[in-house]
Every structure is written in C-alpha cells, then in structure tokens.
Amino acid sequence: MSLSEFEIIRRYFAESGLYFDKPGVEIGIGDDAAVLKIPSNKLLVISMDVLVESVHFPKSADASLVANRALAVNLSDLAAMAADPFCFTLGLVLPDADEHWLQGFSEGLLGLAQEFNCPLVGGDTTRGPLSITIQVQGLCEQDGIVRRDSAKPGDKIFVSGYLGDGAIAIKSLGLNSHLGDGFNLEQAKLTESCREYFENAYYKPEPRIALARRCASLVSSGIDVSDGLFGDLGHIVAASGVGALLQTQQFPYSACANSCMSEQNRLQAALFGGDDYELCFSVPPQQCAAFVREAARTDTMVTCIGEIIEGSSIKCLDASGLPMSFDVDSYAHFYGED
Ligand code: ADP
Ligand code: MG
C-alpha cells in the first residue's frame, strides 16, 4: 500500500470524525485495545456482519454507499434486539490503499455513526481481497431485550416500513437475484426516481432503533427482516414453538414496488427476497393499540399483516382468504449468499 497502515487508520478512521468522545468509551482508537465502561444496570449486546466484495456488494459499488450499508445492517441487528447503539469496531481488508475509496468509505460511515451516536473505537486494517467486517456494541436495560422465542398464539404480527424493496432493488441495480428467472421488474415502468428509490432502499436501509426502543416493552418477540419475511418470521415461529397466519393482502408495498412489479413478484420479494432490514414483531392483542400509537411517535409506519397461531408453520392467505402454497425450497438461500 502506498499509504502506510498507520496513516490509513489516522486519516480515515481516528481523525475523520468517526472516533468521537462518548461517555463509557474510556479508550478508543490508538491503544492496543478499546476499553469500554458498561453501566452496571445494562446488558452489552453485540452483533457482527461480514461483507465481501462481489458476494454482498458489487465490485464497482460506491464506497460511501457500501460503508453506509455495512453499518446500517449491523445497527438493524441491534434494533431487532431493542438495544441502543454504543460503539462499533471495523475489520477492513483492502487490496490497495485507494485514497479516493477510503475517503468515500469513511464518509459513508460518518453519517450513521453520528446519527446513532455510535463512535468507531477500534479495528484492524490489513491487505487482501476487499471485505468489510463491522461489529456493533449496544446497551439495553436488563429486562428490555426483544427476543425471538417468546411469541404466543393470538399475538398480532406487525412489520415496519415496506416489504420487498430490498429484493426489488437487486433487480433494479442489475444484480443477480436468487429469486430466479420468473422474478422481474417491468423495466418500462422503472422511472429514474424509482431507480433512485430502490438504490436508497438497498444501500441505505433505515435502522429501526427508535421504533424498537420505544416499543420493546409492548411486543412479545421481534426480528429484523434480512432474508425475507418467510424465513425470518420462520425463526420466530421455530424458536417460540408456534405457527403464523399471514394475510398477504395486507403486506405493505412501496409506490415504486407497486408500479414496477407484478403482484406475484412483489409477494415473492416480500416473502423470499431479503435485504429489507425492517423489523417484524409479535404484539399481544391488548398491547396493539399502544404499539401503533408509540410507533407513530417515532414516525415509523407499521402494518398488521397477520397473527401468531398454534402450530409450527407459516400459512399464507390470499385476498379471498384461501391458503396459498409456495415451493419454499426453490427460494432457499445458499450459504454465503447473504
Ligand atoms: P495492533 O498491531 O496492536 O493490532 P493496529 O496497528 O492494528 O494495532 O491498530 C492500531 C490502533 O488502530 C488500534 O487501536 C486499533 O483498534 C485501531 N485500528 C486499526 N484498524 C482500524 C480500523 N479499520 N478502524 C478503526 N480502528 C482501527
Ligand atoms: Mg491490529
């Protein structure tokens, strides 16, 4: 690398604004390890995501967008647990010291780091094929964690935001979709503004921290939708020992999804697509009104899309209330694809 490793760390990480003072961060970038002070009444919540070039983002992708996405998907995992972001660390493998790329990358992290008061406190920088590993640390009250294993029959199922945009964005960006040949955008209807909308949906998912923090005490379980609703709700269903009934007609779709995609493809995107980074909660019936009210206070759209039932599987109903069946296996992700 033309720039030394130390110079990269200093310029783009230590002195870029990403490492800022925060109570509890006793030592950040610069010593052999970061030192954090965790309040005695809080739990430390940790999550990590690894993003590899050409696997998780395209080779030519804009550095700033990739950085934003890398941090956003990690923050989404904290949101899914209802934890408050504390700080993050970064493992960066670089083929070379491309200063333009590093500048964009550093700037792409900065927006979210500041928005969520989540400084970069350490990491490792080394040479090799481009990959980005982020570990986020969050804090949560002892009884405030939202888990996957506590949904109960009768609970309503809610999702935040829109479903399917992540998978539709993959098509809009011209990337390979695991949903196969039958999964298509109506190119003629893909306006420039929808193209932009989908690019944002993919690279700039909104971590639903505020919603999760505000509603944690009102929900019985939760998860972030990163692999498609069917699979992710499936984790709640399996962990909680329950079933789920989904009213597919209630699924929330964005205006661009509605205009650019057939109903059947939209449903496929929502159930089996992935990359939405919305939250899915089960909410006891007596808490639903409060949940909807509190969600509105965080300016987050939430939609009731079904109900937890007895059983062990997810059933989907169409507009006429008839059961739908899917060839679920054909949409299964292969290890390493996401
Ligand atoms: P060591 O040789 O002890 O591993 P390094 O030279 O790797 O130390 O790192 C020096 C300091 O810079 C450490 O505080 C480390 O956490 C930080 N650091 C290294 N790479 C990064 C990075 N990509 N992002 C943030 N901090 C980093
Ligand atoms: Mg090191």
Side-chain angles (χ1 to χ4, degrees):
M1 298 191 187
S2 51
L3 276 184
S4 74
E5 182 191 327
F6 297 110
E7 194 56 17
I8 291 176
I9 296 167
R10 186 184 68 74
R11 256 196 234 177
Y12 300 107
F13 303 121
E15 293 176 11
S16 63
L18 280 167
Y19 169 39
F20 49 82
D21 282 341
K22 178 170 179 174
V25 179
E26 306 284 305
I27 300 177
I29 299 177
D31 214 314
D32 292 304
V35 178
L36 310 174
K37 193 174 199 144
I38 309 301
S40 60
N41 60 345
K42 295 278 171 78
L43 298 174
L44 178 63
V45 182
I46 296 175
S47 178
M48 176 189 280
D49 270 299
V50 179
L51 275 74
V52 176
E53 184 184 53
S54 300
V55 180
H56 304 101
F57 58 92
K59 220 171 170 53
S60 56
D62 180 276
S64 152
L65 292 178
V66 170
N68 192 295
R69 176 173 157 83
L71 187 50
V73 302
N74 272 279
L75 291 169
S76 177
D77 279 319
L78 287 186
M81 303 301 287
D84 196 20
F86 185 36
C87 59
F88 74 106
T89 50
L90 168 68
L92 191 57
V93 186
L94 292 170
D96 49 44
D98 178 339
E99 293 183 44
H100 177 71
W101 191 92
L102 278 161
Q103 183 66 36
F105 183 78
S106 175
E107 284 169 9
L109 292 175
L110 191 59
L112 284 179
Q114 287 176 334
E115 181 183 346
F116 290 96
N117 189 23
C118 188
L120 175 64
V121 299
D124 199 22
T125 307
T126 185
R127 192 177 195 139
L130 181 60
S131 83
I132 300 151
T133 300
I134 288 183
Q135 186 184 56
V136 282
Q137 286 83 32
L139 296 179
C140 192
E141 297 67 33
Q142 305 270 357
D143 58 356
I145 292 287
V146 171
R147 308 168 55 117
R148 297 178 176 188
D149 61 0
S150 34
K152 298 272 177 310
D155 293 350
K156 300 292 180 197
I157 300 169
F158 282 86
V159 286
S160 64
Y162 298 117
L163 292 174
D165 282 344
I168 303 172
I170 299 250
K171 291 301 276 190
S172 166
L173 289 164
L175 306 176
N176 276 340
S177 167
H178 69 279
L179 294 175
D181 293 343
F183 182 68
N184 281 309
L185 270 173
E186 294 180 37
Q187 292 292 342
K189 297 192 180 152
L190 184 60
T191 58
E192 202 40 52
S193 73
C194 282
R195 210 180 277 280
E196 208 172 291
Y197 171 82
F198 288 126
E199 182 174 89
N200 267 318
Y202 185 76
Y203 284 113
K204 298 185 172 174
E206 178 67 33
R208 301 296 190 187
I209 300 277
L211 172 71
R213 298 284 297 158
R214 189 135 199 151
C215 295
S217 64
L218 302 171
V219 308
S220 57
S221 75
I223 194 166
D224 73 327
V225 183
S226 54
D227 294 333
L229 182 68
F230 200 90
D232 290 315
L233 179 60
H235 294 310
I236 288 187
V237 159
S240 302
V242 295
L245 187 66
L246 291 177
Q247 308 285 348
T248 61
Q249 213 53 27
Q250 306 299 328
F251 284 8
Y253 297 116
S254 66
C256 285
N258 278 325
S259 67
C260 301
M261 210 168 237
S262 70
E263 191 180 347
Q264 197 200 337
N265 275 179
R266 276 199 303 270
L267 183 61
Q268 227 180 325
L271 286 173
F272 305 108
D275 295 309
D276 283 332
Y277 299 100
E278 293 297 346
L279 296 182
C280 174
F281 293 115
S282 62
V283 186
Q286 66 278 15
Q287 307 285 13
C288 285
F291 173 82
V292 169
R293 190 183 62 230
E294 293 303 312
R297 296 218 165 115
T298 68
D299 283 329
T300 316
M301 185 182 102
V302 291
T303 311
C304 182
I305 54 165
E307 181 174 338
I308 300 291
I309 56 175
E310 307 268 356
S312 58
S313 63
I314 299 175
K315 296 185 172 64
C316 294
L317 301 182
D318 67 14
S320 345
L322 296 172
M324 309 173 81
S325 66
F326 303 98
D327 181 7
V328 175
D329 288 343
S330 70
Y331 302 123
H333 287 202
F334 293 104
Y335 177 74
E337 269 192 351
D338 59 357

